[in-house]
Amino acid sequence: MSIQDRARLIRQYIDADAEERQLIRDHAVAVDSITPLGPRLVDELDGLHLPAAA
């Protein structure tokens, strides 16, 4: 996954509601399972300090 793709996914995660965030997080887990190098995407998402979704 390119840096631009990661950034796009993080932006979608920030703008998403709780249900969509879970779907994006599940996608991140799948990406991490096939991309062992570099920071884990799911850790980046979990590290975001977001307000509770409405």
Side-chain angles (χ1 to χ4, degrees):
M1 176 175 269
S2 72
I3 292 171
Q4 292 85 0
D5 290 337
R6 288 173 80 93
R8 206 171 306 124
L9 195 66
I10 290 169
R11 177 85 252 159
Q12 289 173 347
Y13 185 82
I14 290 169
D15 294 338
D17 61 22
E19 184 177 334
E20 190 174 355
R21 282 183 186 166
Q22 185 59 47
L23 293 172
I24 293 170
R25 191 180 184 287
D26 291 346
H27 177 75
V29 169
V31 167
D32 288 339
S33 72
I34 60 171
T35 312
L37 302 175
R40 290 176 7 118
L41 181 56
V42 74
D43 290 340
E44 291 181 50
L45 295 177
D46 288 347
L48 296 172
H49 298 286
L50 302 173

